[in-house]
Amino acid sequence: MCGIAGVVCFPGLGPDRAQTARAMLDQLALRGPDAEGTWADEHALLLFRRLSVIDLAGGGQPMVSPEGAVLAYTGEVFNFAALRAELRALGHHFGTASDSEVVLRAYLQWGERCAERFTGMFAFAVWDARKHELLLIRDRFGIYPLYYARLESGLVFGSEPKAVLAHPGVRAQVDLDGLRKLLSFAPVPGQGVFRGVFEVLPGSVVRFSEAGLTSSRYWWLAAAPHTDDLPTTIASVRELLEESVRAQVVADVPWCVQLSGGLDSSALAALASRVVGAPIATYSLDFAGHAERFRAGELYSSPDAPFAAEMVKWLGCEHTELVLDSAQLLDDATRRDVVRALDMPSPGGEMYTSLYLLAAVIRQRHVVTLSGDAADEIFGGFVWYQDEWYRNSQTFPWLLASHRMELLTGLLDRDLVNRLDLQTFSSDHYRSALAEVEGLPGESALDRRMREMTYVNLTRYLPVVLERKDRMAMASALEGRVPYADHRLVEYVYNTPWAMRSFDGREKSLLRAAVKDLLPQSVLERVKAPFPTTQDPAYAAGLRAKLEALLADSASPAWQLLDRQRVAKAVLGPDATARLGVTRLSLDLATQLHDWLTSGIRLVV
């Protein structure tokens, strides 16, 4: 991964463009520690920070063509070798071995429709000086981030909000809509936390010129008939997954696999090991004393560590296990780094902090990591796919997994909570999401419902997971790849009838059948467990201690959002917290607000 940013203005850039460029580049330093580049003409400024992964000697950016197109590109187009051969046959010449040059020449050949030919994860900007036009293009699932904001006479863009906010024409303001994005666990596609700062929609092209700003889609989840029988479907899933893994282990730098011991990551590790024909490097995460404290619940039926250890032995991996204690998770400097990396308080508590710390350890030896993200959304791994109570709900099912307790709002000011009205917001948003789902003539009610479930998980839940992966990894300049998010695999499984996706009456039936020859029986049969969280009571106690310190700071800007009386009660202990109906996520959020709001952010609520 890398970082890009830029500005386009009409009638032209101002005299302070060098200072602006420096400020924006500095905000992306962690995404691209290896090199940087700047290009400018009268109207456009394109900026680039590089993390070298493919063609370490070449591939510098911004990349300029003799025809007048300039590229600032971040990502990986995994089919770049085949595209290069096709473009050469069409008369194009190449001076590097990088995928960046393939993207540039593909644009010159096919225009914005070049993205339809790409298999990968990417976000890029093209300034076409021939047309005085800027294009911002993002991959189909938004694996790579890309934000933009309108200026009085132009547009500014960047890989992260902090780069956009570094432009003097954009203010770091957060309104009620921004808070809803932060608190909802189901963000509206394209909406950012900061007022006036938007995301390029996944699978979309944003076009900006003197004529104005437009956006169009080049890809969406379309409904299509599935004609394969079950054995063919299982074989096709295996073939598509193998193709994705084979493409995504290509790198000119060391790569590894994040291994939890679950079905998804274990299958990736096994396939990657088979592709390279040698032991691979793997990493896992655990918490000190977790095995002794572990208590099974609805979402967690077993700890990860024993299964990860079994896979390491099974494959002969070069394995590293990171064991974190509560003191590391509660460290003030680390938590500030997480808030800065995400540009907002982390809505998932220690899941973000632990992933941030794991990424830092991985980056000491590896530059690229593969993870099992997106498998549950595609194959139906979450409990809400199987349980009829969740399935029949009229809101995003993951919001019900807390048994209706307040997730993040428990310590917020009650008037603010009422004005946010997250229940209405979520209900309205849920209906809007369902309205986007294409159906098939003659489709059964069950298949229609499971198509809806899969759609909202892929378009409303997965973006939260991918954002967490991107920001926590890139804070250490670690590139994260997600082989399950290959659009060819997703399209195929998305259109497979639910009877096939659950043919053995369990979660992830198709995936389990497709990889059954690769894994030990215990891992193959293991029930889904989400990203791990600590069960150490010292962690919650540490959060309450931070809240107690906040109570003593009457000048903290966090009190603009918090309810002082509820915070005072929460400090008293776990029983008081339970009586308030407050989750640990509420405690975590409240303790991060001070750091976030003292970083120059203005609330307009």
Side-chain angles (χ1 to χ4, degrees):
M1 292 187 179
C2 303
I4 61 172
V7 186
V8 170
C9 287
F10 300 104
L13 297 172
D16 59 348
R17 69 183 187 186
Q19 182 179 355
T20 298
R22 184 71 266 153
M24 296 175 73
L25 279 169
D26 287 348
Q27 293 300 317
L28 297 174
L30 295 179
R31 296 190 77 92
D34 296 332
E36 67 176 49
T38 300
W39 181 93
D41 68 4
E42 180 185 359
H43 301 288
L45 169 67
L46 269 65
L47 308 169
F48 177 70
R49 295 293 307 234
R50 188 181 190 194
L51 173 63
S52 302
V53 173
I54 299 290
D55 187 13
L56 306 189
Q61 295 185 51
M63 190 171 282
V64 184
S65 73
E67 296 87 344
V70 186
L71 173 74
Y73 158 77
T74 173
E76 306 291 349
V77 171
F78 296 116
N79 61 333
F80 74 96
L83 288 171
R84 182 190 290 120
E86 183 179 358
L87 288 163
R88 276 179 172 151
L90 292 169
H92 291 266
H93 301 281
F94 292 86
T96 74
S98 70
D99 61 334
S100 306
E101 191 173 10
V102 172
V103 171
L104 180 57
R105 302 310 303 182
Y107 168 75
L108 291 167
Q109 179 65 39
W110 298 301
E112 67 183 65
R113 300 199 66 176
C114 65
E116 299 172 23
R117 296 172 175 263
F118 297 160
T119 298
M121 48 186 206
F122 50 85
F124 62 92
V126 176
W127 169 249
D128 195 326
R130 301 168 299 182
K131 305 176 183 178
H132 283 188
E133 180 178 78
L134 174 73
L135 297 179
L136 302 177
I137 302 179
R138 196 175 181 202
D139 68 64
R140 295 168 178 85
F141 295 103
I143 302 170
Y144 270 59
L146 188 56
Y147 295 82
Y148 67 94
R150 288 297 305 267
L151 302 171
E152 185 176 343
S153 59
L155 181 140
V156 56
F157 66 90
S159 292
E160 296 182 7
K162 59 175 65 70
V164 176
L165 296 172
H167 190 281
V170 184
R171 296 181 178 180
Q173 296 181 336
V174 179
D175 57 17
L176 289 176
D177 285 336
L179 290 178
R180 291 186 183 107
K181 148 92 175 180
L182 168 61
L183 299 167
S184 67
F185 272 116
V188 176
Q191 179 181 309
V193 169
F194 298 98
R195 176 186 275 186
V197 178
F198 304 95
E199 287 187 89
V200 177
L201 287 169
S204 291
V205 178
V206 169
R207 182 192 304 271
F208 181 70
S209 68
E210 288 185 274
L213 179 74
T214 61
S215 178
S216 60
R217 300 292 295 271
Y218 69 85
W219 184 88
W220 56 90
L221 278 168
H226 185 83
T227 58
D228 292 342
D229 61 16
L230 181 58
T232 304
T233 299
I234 293 170
S236 297
V237 168
R238 172 64 171 267
E239 181 181 358
L240 288 166
L241 187 55
E242 283 184 342
E243 287 181 10
S244 181
V245 172
R246 186 175 296 110
Q248 297 202 29
V249 298
V250 174
D252 294 332
V253 292
W255 58 269
C256 65
V257 174
Q258 289 174 228
L259 177 64
S260 70
L263 175 63
D264 312 336
S265 64
S266 297
L268 283 187
L271 285 168
S273 181
R274 175 171 291 198
V275 165
V276 300
I280 62 170
T282 54
Y283 288 80
S284 66
L285 172 69
D286 199 8
F287 301 102
H290 189 62
E292 295 78 11
R293 297 189 188 95
F294 183 81
R295 296 292 183 272
E298 180 182 15
L299 299 180
Y300 296 93
S301 61
S302 57
D304 287 340
F307 296 93
E310 185 171 3
M311 279 305 302
V312 168
K313 184 178 180 181
W314 179 268
L315 297 175
C317 303
E318 300 172 1
H319 187 66
T320 301
E321 181 185 46
L322 174 63
V323 179
L324 298 172
D325 59 31
S326 292
Q328 291 168 288
L329 296 171
L330 292 165
D331 178 72
D332 287 336
T334 299
R335 290 166 64 83
R336 283 193 296 270
D337 288 345
V338 169
V339 171
R340 171 169 169 71
L342 194 60
D343 286 308
M344 65 181 186
S346 56
E350 79 270 24
M351 287 187 289
Y352 284 71
T353 311
S354 59
L355 189 57
Y356 169 83
L357 292 169
L358 177 63
V361 170
I362 294 174
R363 188 58 174 85
Q364 293 173 11
R365 294 173 51 208
H366 296 87
V367 182
V368 172
T369 180
L370 279 62
S371 70
D373 295 323
D376 288 308
E377 290 83 356
I378 301 165
F379 291 103
F382 297 117
V383 63
W384 47 81
Y385 279 95
Q386 312 299 324
D387 190 309
E388 287 193 13
W389 181 73
Y390 289 107
R391 193 184 297 173
N392 295 330
S393 68
Q394 296 303 306
T395 189
F396 298 106
W398 53 90
L399 298 183
L400 302 175
S402 64
H403 300 290
R404 301 183 185 273
M405 290 180 69
E406 294 176 283
L407 288 174
L408 293 171
T409 62
L411 297 178
L412 296 187
D413 176 79
R414 295 297 91 185
D415 177 64
L416 175 63
V417 172
N418 291 334
R419 287 190 291 136
L420 287 168
D421 193 5
L422 290 175
Q423 184 172 353
T424 299
F425 168 78
S426 295
S427 297
D428 291 347
H429 181 201
Y430 183 68
R431 286 191 294 269
S432 297
L434 292 189
E436 299 170 5
V437 182
E438 295 181 358
L440 289 175
E443 192 171 39
S444 71
L446 176 60
D447 279 331
R448 170 67 185 186
R449 180 56 182 154
M450 298 317 294
R451 184 184 296 279
E452 291 174 343
M453 290 282 284
T454 307
Y455 185 91
V456 297
N457 274 269
L458 285 168
T459 63
R460 268 55 174 194
Y461 189 84
L462 181 60
V464 177
V465 175
L466 294 176
E467 181 179 54
R468 180 181 70 199
K469 174 200 66 66
D470 173 81
R471 300 298 190 83
M472 297 304 99
M474 287 312 298
S476 294
L478 177 69
E479 177 178 293
R481 297 181 178 180
V482 278
Y484 287 107
D486 185 302
H487 74 276
R488 299 165 300 176
L489 174 64
V490 174
E491 290 171 344
Y492 186 80
V493 177
Y494 178 70
N495 284 297
T496 302
W498 183 248
M500 285 190 182
R501 284 202 276 163
S502 59
F503 72 87
D504 63 359
R506 291 196 56 189
E507 78 285 353
K508 292 188 281 197
S509 305
L510 278 182
L511 178 59
R512 186 176 292 103
V515 300
K516 66 180 181 180
D517 60 315
L518 299 175
L519 306 176
Q521 195 68 20
S522 61
V523 173
L524 190 67
E525 297 297 328
R526 187 185 177 198
V527 175
K528 159 69 184 174
F531 193 90
T533 58
T534 180
Q535 293 188 1
D536 184 3
Y539 181 71
L543 293 177
R544 286 192 292 273
K546 291 181 183 297
L547 281 177
E548 190 168 14
L550 188 62
L551 281 170
D553 183 3
S554 59
S556 171
W559 295 116
Q560 298 174 76
L561 298 178
L562 295 175
D563 184 314
R564 184 179 292 273
Q565 290 185 343
R566 292 176 72 84
V567 170
K569 291 177 181 178
V571 167
L572 297 178
D575 292 340
T577 301
R579 286 194 297 273
L580 286 170
V582 169
T583 66
R584 196 168 69 185
L585 293 180
S586 298
L587 302 178
D588 232 324
L589 173 73
T591 60
Q592 297 175 58
L593 287 175
H594 175 85
D595 291 332
W596 186 49
L597 295 174
T598 52
S599 62
I601 294 167
R602 181 182 171 221
L603 292 174
V604 283
V605 296

